[in-house]
Amino acid sequence: MLTDNKILILLAFCMTLAAVCGCSEKQELKSVVDISSALECYQIDPLVKVFQEDRDFSDNPLTIEVARGETASFQFLLVPDNTAVYGCGISAGPLMCGSTSVPASLEAFIDYIRAGFHAAPSSQDAMFPASDMYPDCLKDGVTKNIVSGYRQPVYVTYDIPETAEPGEYSGTVTFSGRMDGKDFTIEKEIRAKVYDVTVPEQTFLAINQHDHRGLSYMANGERVDLFSERYWDLMKVLLNSMRDHRLNVYWMTYLPDYIKMALNDGVWSFDFTDFDRTVEMFIKEGGLKRIAGGHLAWRPTGEWLEAFEIGMPNGGTMPLDSPEAQNWLDQFIPALYDHLREKGWTDIYLQHIADEPVDGLPAQSYIRIAEYVKNLAPEMKILDAVQSSSLADVVDVWIPELDYFDQDYVFYMDRKNLGDEVWFYTCCNPKGNYANRFLELPLVQTRLLHWISFKYKATGYLHWSFNRNWDKAVENIATEGTLPGGDLFISYPGYGKVYSSMRLEAMRDGIADYELLRLLEEKDPAAAAEIVDSVVMDFDSYNSDIENFRQVRTRLLTELEKY
């Protein structure tokens, strides 16, 4: 029995007698029944993953500590003992401090998904429940039936305004439903401390490949034609979700989707209408900082060590030396750059050449294509996810995989000192003890990705993917083939909406941490370094203890409050 729960079961019966001259009404009848032994409710740290196999729980009414401009997150666990719960709902009241009121931004039940495949080698911190089911999807706007013995986690968030008064906040989260044919409500008190610190304007650049062709999963499988009004409505929802989770670089995966191209007697024509509307929507709805134009070249057969060829807008690939490829590039690249200049977008546009060049033929062909593009548009900046350090002088924004960043760190810092940008990326790799966004990894490591960014001076991050293969999400499996569970997507489709995930929330919070660390570095570099070193010891070595992480965060906020 939990003594700190306020648990009430309300049974109401009202009768009204109608009469010719009026009516009379009986008072509502209430009875109080203690159900704490039938339905247990725990508060737990939002960085904890609760598995159905878990048996031992303890209530942890912790105070969530945040800066202004951050999100305060709370997690609860409902466990009915001997009877099911029907129509369970969540109602989170505002966080209050004096006259300041902050409304809840999310009230969600956490759904489980099967990982399906795991990283090999696995991390020493990886978690492998026997069921292979992981809590992740934050499904808001629904009620739940909870069977007896089921562990049902709940996630509630509050977006703290930049204008919020610092101080101690409190509020109440209420759960209601029916058990044994009787209505009930459970109230849990929550507390947050808002420090006199504000997250600065975001400088960190975060890009997730989004699948603009996959919007039918937000429409119950109904067809959504590219650039139809339904498409734009759903794209706005998708972009709002990405923006709200601090993603600010948008990858236009396949440029011929956005730019209509036609060839007539050797002359190409280009219609930028859909491209322009897309970029304008990125700016208005997505908080855009950069545009990443889709790849110009591909591995023609998919063989990893083959040379890249130019992806032709009418399908297939052609070698760079072919008249067809050169004719298209000679007309497209200048037309694109002239259009960007006309729109005032040259400073925010970055161009992909080809994906993940490695040493050998891929790197050699990559260099030739990049040089060709640079000759046509010398000021156009090039970025790519790379696995080779032999691309000097053609890449402007280097995005090595985290393990390659580790291995060639001196090289990348040399490029940074020469004026290039350096980010890093994760996807189905790296594995082992490197942080990533796989379901099997602790949430704290997903958050620490951007503590790694801060420590090793990366100013951006790329991940595949935000909503790729949502068909697998619908099937409730987080993998395809041999990709580790969680690599394909970090969000979930709903009808006309996007559901967040525990991993996406952790990544957003990690980006806010990056900005706070950067702010402290401006004031006290030694303190910032000491704080980050206490949780990130090396590229693949971290203190993943949640209690320790909370203590470190407290110190970060306390140090910042001095200035």
Side-chain angles (χ1 to χ4, degrees), residues 31-224:
S31 63
V32 179
V33 180
D34 183 359
I35 62 160
S36 59
S37 60
L39 177 60
E40 297 173 290
C41 180
Y42 305 94
Q43 182 180 350
I44 55 181
D45 194 291
L47 285 172
V48 170
K49 290 185 179 181
V50 176
F51 300 112
Q52 291 302 314
E53 292 83 354
D54 294 343
R55 290 293 179 268
D56 296 324
F57 307 103
S58 60
D59 198 42
N60 183 14
L62 72 164
T63 298
I64 300 298
E65 299 181 330
V66 289
R68 293 180 297 230
E70 282 195 289
T71 297
S73 302
F74 299 85
Q75 186 176 192
F76 305 91
L77 180 64
L78 300 174
V79 185
D81 189 10
N82 297 314
T83 185
V85 176
Y86 295 95
C88 187
I90 312 162
S91 178
L95 280 175
M96 301 291 299
C97 178
S99 60
T100 303
S101 176
V102 179
S105 50
L106 179 70
E107 303 166 342
F109 291 99
I110 303 177
D111 278 0
Y112 287 74
I113 188 167
R114 184 161 64 91
F117 197 84
H118 296 276
S122 62
S123 167
Q124 63 185 10
D125 298 316
M127 300 170 289
F128 301 109
S131 63
D132 201 33
M133 300 296 290
Y134 291 80
D136 197 45
C137 176
L138 304 183
K139 190 162 286 187
D140 59 303
V142 299
T143 58
K144 276 271 191 176
N145 297 331
I146 310 171
V147 300
S148 174
Y150 189 78
R151 284 94 176 98
Q152 179 58 67
V154 172
Y155 206 87
V156 175
T157 67
Y158 295 81
D159 294 334
I160 307 300
E162 293 180 357
T163 57
E165 290 294 324
E168 303 285 343
Y169 285 69
S170 62
T172 302
V173 176
T174 303
F175 304 97
S176 60
R178 290 180 66 81
M179 293 183 73
D180 286 332
K182 301 173 183 178
D183 294 335
F184 73 86
T185 60
I186 299 177
E187 293 182 348
K188 290 287 288 184
E189 294 182 357
I190 56 173
R191 297 187 301 273
K193 180 178 180 180
V194 177
Y195 282 76
D196 190 12
V197 175
T198 303
V199 179
E201 181 179 354
Q202 185 172 328
T203 62
F204 191 77
L205 298 168
I207 176 173
N208 273 232
Q209 187 271 353
H210 70 278
D211 183 8
H212 66 294
R213 296 181 179 180
L215 300 185
S216 63
Y217 295 103
M218 297 171 64
N220 282 348
E222 299 169 6
R223 177 173 173 173
V224 178

Side-chain angles (χ1 to χ4, degrees), residues 289-500:
K289 292 290 183 71
R290 300 278 187 90
I291 312 160
H295 297 115
L296 299 176
W298 305 90
R299 293 173 170 91
T301 69
E303 289 294 326
W304 193 243
L305 296 179
E306 67 182 335
F308 291 110
E309 294 186 357
I310 302 302
M312 300 301 292
N314 51 0
T317 64
M318 298 291 290
L320 176 63
D321 293 334
S322 68
E324 295 87 349
Q326 292 190 3
N327 183 49
W328 176 65
L329 287 173
D330 289 348
Q331 296 181 62
F332 174 62
I333 296 301
L336 172 61
Y337 199 76
D338 286 347
H339 186 76
L340 293 169
R341 185 186 294 112
E342 179 184 324
K343 301 294 291 187
W345 294 337
T346 55
D347 289 343
I348 61 173
Y349 187 85
L350 303 167
Q351 181 61 58
H352 284 285
I353 298 297
D355 191 34
E356 297 179 314
V358 297
D359 289 337
L361 286 176
Q364 294 165 19
S365 57
Y366 182 100
I367 292 170
R368 292 187 63 234
I369 295 168
E371 289 176 341
Y372 197 96
V373 170
K374 286 276 193 179
N375 185 57
L376 295 169
E379 296 178 358
M380 182 177 282
K381 290 191 174 182
I382 291 174
L383 87 162
D384 265 309
V386 299
Q387 296 184 5
S388 171
S389 58
S390 64
L391 311 172
D393 300 326
V394 297
V395 175
D396 301 288
V397 181
W398 297 81
I399 314 179
E401 193 174 271
L402 180 55
D403 49 343
Y404 287 89
F405 189 29
D406 179 3
Q407 295 165 21
D408 294 322
Y409 183 66
V410 173
F411 167 81
Y412 289 113
M413 287 303 97
D414 287 344
R415 297 310 307 177
K416 186 178 179 71
N417 292 334
L418 289 171
D420 291 347
E421 293 182 43
V422 176
W423 308 0
F424 73 81
Y425 79 100
T426 62
C427 55
C428 55
N429 288 306
K431 301 181 178 75
N433 291 328
Y434 286 99
N436 210 312
R437 304 195 312 187
F438 303 148
L439 286 168
E440 66 201 54
L441 294 180
L443 280 172
V444 70
Q445 289 192 8
T446 298
R447 186 163 179 169
L448 288 179
L449 279 168
H450 306 302
W451 291 61
I452 296 169
S453 298
F454 174 79
K455 178 167 181 168
Y456 295 109
K457 306 185 187 309
T459 56
Y461 171 74
L462 179 152
H463 184 269
W464 175 283
S465 160
F466 188 77
N467 66 319
R468 192 75 176 177
N469 291 97
W470 261 355
D471 57 316
K472 296 300 178 182
V474 172
E475 296 172 13
N476 205 39
I477 185 170
T479 189
E480 181 178 53
T482 59
L483 299 176
D487 178 54
L488 294 176
F489 48 82
I490 198 168
S491 64
Y492 294 81
Y495 186 72
K497 69 189 305 178
V498 175
Y499 293 120
S500 182

